[in-house]
Amino acid sequence: MEEFRPEIVSFHFGLPDQVLVRRVKAAGSKVISSATTVAEAVWLEDNGVDAVIAMGYEAGGHRGNFLTHDMATQVGTMALVPQVVDAVDVPVIAAGGIADGRGVAAAIMLGASAVQVGTAYLFTPEAKIAEVHLTAIEAAGDDDTAVTNVMTGRPARGVINRLMKELGPLTEIAPDFPTAASALAPLKAAAEAVCKDHFTNLWAGQSARLSPRLGSEELTRRLSDEALAVIAKFSFR
Ligand SMILES: Cc1cc2nc3c(=O)[nH]c(=O)nc-3n(C[C@H](O)[C@H](O)[C@H](O)COP(=O)(O)O)c2cc1C
């Protein structure tokens, strides 16, 4: 980080040791990290982040949770974003289930300063995801994903596959993060060789079906233009 001095460094699962965070900030980078509850957002602010990502339960990929490990009480984006906005003074970035301009506009209405979109970018040609992953997300509807710990040992949202169905989606016997993934690697490779997604991380959020099929630049412009159009529609003066 000190060598390349990126403008922003984004952490997940809380923050590393304070000494390291201070060094990243001293190199001139802004530090951001994900919160899945108000308590995590306040902790991140107290520990020096420049902005908080409010990551709702709809989001694809690993949950950013670090103070709580209870998946039954994780909060949806619509409820999380305004409560985090009320609780912290730093800017809030909304994440989870946002895949078109309506979602961006809604997040801004809830007080977010920006949005972080993941799943919609998986459909862009720039995303080099496995063929079985692309096939799974292209077919995924609103209720085809679940939060599981069987793939890596930490809870993450992905399209439901055979392993999640047979062992999970959540189980106490999953090996600790990230060792579950290495144990699965040979099975994953063998299954993918015959186009089966039984052991592949099919990370995706609940809004896969909303995602327009565009290149990443066009998608970014579309999200912004559509959001501005939605907001303009409700500006009566
Ligand atoms: C395939 C995939 C990989 C991800 N990897 C990371 C990661 O390495 N670090 C991180 O902070 N968030 C990661 N995320 C979470 C995203 O940054 C973002 O919070 C999330 O995708 C937002 O929800 P959405 O998928 O509904 O748009 C990942 C998400 C996906 C779908």
Side-chain angles (χ1 to χ4, degrees):
M1 295 301 134
E2 283 168 337
E3 187 182 344
F4 293 104
R5 296 172 180 265
E7 278 182 48
I8 298 171
V9 175
S10 180
F11 292 104
H12 216 48
F13 314 142
L15 289 172
D17 195 84
Q18 268 302 305
V19 178
L20 295 173
V21 173
R22 273 199 290 273
R23 277 178 64 182
V24 172
K25 293 186 82 160
S29 302
K30 299 279 186 213
V31 169
I32 64 176
S33 183
S34 300
T36 67
T37 61
V38 168
E40 288 176 350
V42 170
W43 187 96
L44 289 173
E45 183 179 46
D46 290 346
N47 284 274
V49 296
D50 296 294
V52 169
I53 303 155
M55 186 188 200
Y57 200 47
E58 299 92 322
H62 281 101
R63 307 287 312 139
N65 61 292
F66 58 97
L67 294 182
T68 176
H69 295 283
D70 184 355
M71 287 300 109
T73 56
Q74 288 276 278
V75 189
T77 306
M78 186 89 182
L80 182 65
V81 171
Q83 293 187 76
V84 169
V85 168
D86 287 348
V88 299
D89 290 326
V90 292
V92 175
I93 301 162
I98 300 168
D100 65 17
R102 293 172 296 182
V104 177
I108 302 297
M109 295 294 177
L110 295 173
S113 299
V115 297
Q116 178 169 279
V117 175
T119 300
Y121 283 92
L122 297 179
F123 295 92
T124 67
E126 289 85 356
K128 306 294 179 207
I129 60 174
E131 201 56 41
V132 289
H133 191 174
L134 185 60
T135 305
I137 62 172
E138 275 177 339
D142 55 345
D143 59 353
D144 287 319
T145 69
V147 170
T148 184
N149 63 349
V150 299
M151 308 303 300
T152 65
R154 272 193 88 119
R157 182 176 291 283
V159 179
I160 298 166
N161 64 3
R162 179 178 160 194
L163 191 71
M164 286 162 70
K165 272 192 210 137
E166 292 185 4
L167 291 184
L170 292 166
T171 173
E172 283 176 10
I173 60 166
D176 287 342
F177 179 84
T179 52
S182 25
L184 287 172
L187 287 167
K188 175 175 179 285
E192 283 184 9
V194 289
C195 301
K196 300 231 182 281
D197 63 13
H198 298 331
F199 307 100
T200 302
N201 304 338
L202 304 171
W203 298 157
Q206 292 179 326
S207 293
R209 190 183 274 162
L210 284 178
S211 311
R213 312 304 199 241
L214 297 170
S216 60
E217 182 184 341
E218 282 172 288
L219 173 59
T220 308
R221 291 189 192 285
R222 169 85 70 94
L223 288 168
S224 164
D225 292 347
E226 275 184 7
L228 291 172
V230 170
I231 291 166
K233 210 161 82 178
F234 291 101
S235 308
F236 297 113
R237 278 195 277 164

